[in-house]
Amino acid sequence: MDQVIIGVDTHKSNHIAVAMNTQGARLGGLTIPTTCQGYLDLEVWGSKFGSIKAFGIEGTGSYGAALSRDLLAKGHTVLDVMRPNRQLRYLHGKSDSLDAESAARSVLNGQATALAKTQIGACEMIRHIKMARDSAVKSRSQAMITLKALIINAPAELRGMLDQIKGPISLIRHIAALRPGKITSPTASAKAAMRAIARRWLNLHEEIHVHGQELERLVREKAPGLMNSHGISTMTAAEMLILVGDNPERIKSEAALAKLCGVCPIPASSGKTNRMRLNRGGNRKANAALYIVAVTRMRGHEATKAYVIKRTAQGKSKSEIKRCLKRYIIREIYRQLCVPNGAKSTH
């Protein structure tokens, strides 16, 4: 039986699929709704052309997430396809059908090799809770900025009274307990506005605390060894678990994980010039988390301090040393999260 590759261009309400054989010939196209029945119809339709070798899906982390989970649960190979090259789009045009065909060709020519995340385990739960926490943290910061602006512009008597309260938490609790009464003056309206924002801040503060406790539990259950590493906090471990996903075997090497985090240098050589440049790609949240770990270890980890002294003597700058440290931290994380327990002794 002939093998078939299915390329899928994903959207919110429907997906466009194109089937292609291993010789690169287009066999047909299909549009399906983003429902369970639509996913079943896609599988049945693709099977009519032969044995399905793989699905190449654009956007497995967004619009294509549900389809990807459904196909992975049924045992299919699902590859994450990057957005089509802009130059090729300019030359050949842009349509959903062409994008789906481009996804299939990316799988066929070996350009798309990244396996999609399964998104059905603890890492997906951590991602959900962390998204809620990050949103609450952002809203809490905005509430504090607004509250400070209101205090600065408040009537002199009210502002003078609030300036005497020491400590941000005490100030917020005091403001939350204000009784503005009927809004008949700027003082009363300022009290009402500040009280509403202070209560919002306290609610968000409590929400963040609850999310933090839940993340602590989930992360410790999933990666207890990583949590015991110096300088790696709950949020850092959570960010790395989200990056790796529930099927860490899809990350084939330590170098692949480094590239995902943007901590591997990129060749920038030409002619007689042979050099590497800083990688500004990859997952920037994970990269920022690694930076925090590196700085923390430079301040309070004896082995890291000795390494910094050695590299400084060799003429390395602080920025270069931090980049090297991030690469070593990636090695540690890879062994904790991506290498099976039985194989750890071989690294």
Side-chain angles (χ1 to χ4, degrees):
M1 182 179 289
D2 293 336
Q3 288 191 316
V4 180
I5 295 170
I6 309 293
V8 184
D9 182 39
T10 59
H11 298 272
K12 181 180 179 181
S13 301
N14 58 61
H15 299 329
I16 293 80
V18 166
M20 184 177 295
N21 63 23
T22 53
Q23 285 73 45
R26 177 170 171 156
L27 303 175
L30 177 72
T31 299
I32 60 166
T34 54
T35 62
C36 293
Q37 184 59 47
Y39 304 152
L40 178 60
D41 291 343
L42 173 63
E43 186 182 18
V44 172
W45 171 79
S47 300
K48 292 179 180 178
F49 298 106
S51 173
I52 299 176
K53 182 179 180 181
F55 285 86
I57 301 177
E58 183 182 334
T60 59
S62 55
Y63 288 142
L67 174 61
S68 175
R69 281 195 297 267
D70 184 86
L71 294 172
L72 285 169
K74 294 176 180 176
H76 291 288
T77 299
V78 179
L79 301 178
D80 191 9
V81 177
M82 297 290 289
R83 182 181 298 176
N85 183 280
R86 288 181 180 270
Q87 187 176 7
L88 292 176
R89 276 186 167 178
Y90 178 78
L91 292 173
H92 302 297
K94 162 74 174 76
S95 74
D96 295 337
S97 181
L98 287 174
D99 287 348
E101 183 176 336
S102 175
R105 293 195 185 280
S106 295
V107 176
L108 182 62
N109 62 26
Q111 185 178 354
T113 58
L115 293 171
K117 294 181 182 178
T118 56
Q119 300 178 336
I120 56 173
C123 292
E124 184 67 1
M125 292 187 280
I126 290 170
R127 186 179 73 87
H128 290 158
I129 301 300
K130 191 170 187 302
M131 283 180 67
R133 182 187 181 277
D134 290 347
S135 176
V137 168
K138 187 175 180 180
S139 298
R140 184 182 64 175
S141 298
Q142 186 59 53
M144 179 59 79
I145 291 169
T146 306
L147 184 60
K148 287 181 178 179
L150 281 170
I151 293 173
I152 289 171
N153 293 291
E157 183 180 351
L158 176 59
R159 180 180 177 184
M161 182 266 291
L162 295 176
D163 285 342
Q164 296 177 6
I165 301 172
K166 304 300 182 183
I169 299 295
S170 298
L171 176 62
I172 290 173
R173 293 191 184 281
H174 179 86
I175 293 173
L178 289 174
R179 295 181 178 181
K182 190 174 181 180
I183 309 299
T184 57
S185 67
T187 299
S189 61
K191 285 183 177 181
M194 286 190 289
R195 182 181 68 170
I197 295 172
R199 290 180 176 181
R200 183 190 309 166
W201 191 96
L202 290 171
N203 289 334
L204 289 167
H205 186 71
E206 177 61 24
E207 180 185 339
I208 291 166
H209 178 68
V210 172
H211 289 326
Q213 287 183 319
E214 195 61 38
L215 281 172
E216 174 86 13
R217 181 186 67 81
L218 289 169
V219 171
R220 284 202 176 276
E221 289 178 359
K222 183 68 177 178
L226 189 61
M227 287 290 288
N228 294 329
S229 299
H230 187 95
I232 297 182
S233 66
T234 300
M235 295 305 127
T236 299
E239 201 64 64
M240 300 312 300
L241 284 166
I242 293 168
L243 178 73
V244 170
D246 291 302
N247 49 335
E249 65 279 0
R250 70 192 185 90
I251 300 175
K252 302 299 183 183
S253 66
E254 177 191 312
L257 181 59
K259 189 171 183 178
L260 275 177
C261 297
V263 296
C264 61
I266 296 177
S269 302
S270 180
K272 294 182 179 180
T273 302
N274 186 15
R275 71 182 186 91
M276 308 291 282
R277 71 169 177 84
L278 180 64
N279 187 346
R280 299 191 184 278
N283 186 306
R284 302 318 296 173
K285 286 186 177 180
N287 191 288
L290 292 171
Y291 178 86
I292 293 172
V293 177
V295 171
T296 302
R297 290 186 176 185
M298 288 172 72
R299 292 173 179 171
H301 189 235
E302 294 303 322
T304 304
K305 287 182 178 180
Y307 175 81
V308 171
I309 293 172
K310 183 182 77 171
R311 298 296 271 176
T312 302
Q314 294 173 352
K316 294 288 185 182
S317 68
K318 276 290 177 68
S319 295
E320 290 172 330
I321 293 171
K322 288 173 186 174
R323 291 170 199 157
C324 294
L325 284 173
K326 286 196 286 186
R327 189 64 175 80
Y328 281 116
I329 295 165
I330 277 292
R331 178 177 299 170
E332 181 180 337
I333 291 171
Y334 177 79
R335 290 176 177 176
Q336 289 286 346
L337 302 183
C338 303
V339 178
N341 293 330
K344 284 186 178 180
S345 60
T346 63
H347 287 259

